[in-house]
Amino acid sequence: MTAFNRTALVTGSAGFIGYHTAARLLAEGWTVIGLDAMTDYYEVALKERRHAMLQQNEKFTAVVGRLEEPGLLMDLFETHRPDVVIHLAAQAGVRYSIDAPRSYVEANLIGTFDLLEAARAYPPQHMLLASTSSVYGANEDMPYAETDKADSQMSFYAATKKANEAMAHSYAHLYHLPVTMFRFFTVYGPWGRPDMALFKFTKAILEGSAIDIYNHGDMRRDFTYIDDLVSGIVALVEAVPPQADGRTDAPEAFDSLSPVAPWRVVNIGNGQPVQLMAFVEAIEKAIGIEAQKNFMPMQPGDVPATWAEAQLLQSLTGSRPETSVDAGVKAFVAWYRDYYGV
């Protein structure tokens, strides 16, 4: 079946990653149903602008509503019978989960449960659900591999995402729903979220304000440029985990494929951790202004480093993220200046 007669349901379609994913699918000929709650976690105008751009394509249908709204997802599945589901909607943010944990229960736990129930009633060919590198928590051995034990989450946000992985595994096993969970690693790029470091740093530097640098700058992140991330997601659409009872070949040792379900988890990251101060220097270079810096202690729930093992992604899709931080930051700063006229 070609993309030209396939339908994808993308949740969180007005969000940073959801917008870019929906746009890529539309460019490849998919019909896309985009669901977003348009919450005020950050400026709604940015979300509305993303949706408005998607709506310029006649194959995009926008639906505004919350995942956990009773009956909403069931109605969408019954009406549109999506071939593929890409579940990106969530209450995001490590630090906000300390202040407002109930919002994570409602969106991430109840909302994902309702999605799984709708998929049980109207099974898609493949479900791809977003997780996060934060599930690795207190793990110190790096790079993080999908086969590593990950039971020491350090934020409630991460705990809800690990719960999503377990919930999806149970549905994959019980109802033979093919599921791929993907773990993101510090995604950045144009149309990004205002609560992310790149957005906040760029805004502050251009306004002449100081930036807060946590753990006194002793942090490393596996920064993943948005276009690379979307390429990984879309490529994984075709890498459908096989049913447990129909397998003929044993999975590779590095494959996280479940022994009892058509379920696996995949890292999407560069596999090249970058020092936070090098990231700041890339922003300063792109803007042409040196930042004023406030060096701060580590924030609760945060981790000092992330680093993805990307072997499984490479094996399943034939590619992995490659965009350099300098190139990615330059693209973001150009977008920011154009969008905000600064």
Side-chain angles (χ1 to χ4, degrees):
M1 183 181 291
T2 67
F4 290 95
N5 54 3
R6 297 175 84 183
T7 297
L9 170 63
V10 177
T11 70
S13 52
F16 170 39
I17 297 171
Y19 157 70
H20 282 280
T21 301
R24 179 74 64 86
L25 292 171
L26 290 168
E28 294 188 2
W30 287 74
T31 295
V32 177
I33 313 303
L35 171 64
D36 203 285
M38 297 291 182
T39 63
D40 60 1
Y41 173 61
Y42 61 83
E43 61 178 271
V44 176
L46 191 58
K47 300 179 181 182
E48 292 173 338
R49 179 65 181 127
R50 296 188 191 119
H51 248 195
M53 290 188 295
L54 294 173
Q55 287 176 296
Q56 294 174 10
N57 190 312
E58 62 182 12
K59 299 190 78 169
F60 179 78
T61 299
V63 180
V64 176
R66 291 181 176 271
L67 294 169
E68 64 272 25
E69 182 180 323
L72 174 62
L73 283 164
M74 193 68 75
D75 289 345
L76 283 178
F77 273 72
E78 181 180 15
T79 300
H80 299 284
R81 306 295 174 100
D83 301 291
V84 170
V85 175
I86 301 179
H87 179 41
L88 297 159
Q91 178 56 62
V94 169
R95 291 154 197 155
Y96 187 65
S97 68
I98 296 172
D99 299 325
R102 182 171 293 276
S103 64
Y104 291 74
V105 172
E106 292 167 350
N108 299 4
L109 299 181
I110 298 174
T112 300
F113 164 72
D114 286 343
L115 182 87
L116 292 169
E117 277 289 278
R120 177 163 73 97
Y122 303 99
Q125 297 165 5
H126 193 186
M127 298 183 69
L128 299 98
L129 281 66
S131 187
T132 171
S133 61
S134 296
V135 302
Y136 290 108
N139 287 19
E140 294 183 352
D141 291 338
M142 295 190 194
Y144 293 145
E146 296 91 341
T147 52
D148 290 345
K149 185 177 180 179
D151 291 332
S152 53
Q153 287 74 47
M154 296 172 66
S155 69
F156 189 61
Y157 163 65
T160 63
K161 292 308 239 178
K162 183 63 191 299
N164 285 168
E165 294 183 5
M167 291 161 63
H169 182 274
S170 68
Y171 271 68
H173 168 67
L174 292 169
Y175 309 115
H176 309 290
L177 291 170
V179 173
T180 296
M181 306 291 311
F182 35 76
R183 293 173 177 166
F184 299 156
F185 286 73
T186 315
V187 187
Y188 72 103
W191 296 99
R193 289 197 342 243
D195 64 316
M196 299 294 283
L198 176 56
F199 203 112
K200 292 195 293 187
F201 288 177
T202 299
K203 182 176 186 292
I205 293 170
L206 287 170
E207 292 176 350
S209 303
I211 62 175
D212 293 335
I213 298 178
Y214 293 99
N215 205 34
H216 305 282
D218 185 18
M219 299 181 75
R220 294 182 299 156
R221 288 290 181 268
D222 199 341
F223 293 100
T224 310
Y225 188 61
I226 184 62
D227 289 358
D228 291 338
L229 177 75
V230 171
S231 293
I233 294 171
V234 173
L236 284 170
V237 166
E238 307 306 332
V240 183
Q243 297 292 335
D245 58 1
R247 298 173 193 165
T248 56
D249 298 321
E252 299 282 359
F254 55 81
D255 195 344
S256 60
L257 185 64
S258 167
V260 296
W263 179 102
R264 63 160 53 95
V265 60
V266 183
N267 289 335
I268 305 182
N270 275 47
Q272 297 177 344
V274 174
Q275 286 286 349
L276 177 57
M277 294 311 299
F279 189 64
V280 171
E281 289 170 6
I283 302 170
E284 293 173 325
K285 179 180 177 182
I287 296 174
I289 301 173
E290 185 175 350
Q292 304 171 48
K293 305 174 184 72
N294 291 328
F295 290 95
M296 313 280 285
M298 179 77 84
Q299 286 199 315
D302 217 340
V303 295
T306 61
W307 179 4
E309 171 58 73
Q311 184 179 13
L312 180 55
L313 178 68
Q314 177 81 42
S315 175
L316 293 172
T317 69
S319 63
R320 59 196 291 170
E322 295 181 345
T323 302
S324 70
V325 163
D326 283 342
V329 166
K330 183 178 179 180
F332 172 83
V333 169
W335 167 81
Y336 184 96
R337 284 183 141 156
D338 178 66
Y339 185 76
Y340 290 102
V342 294

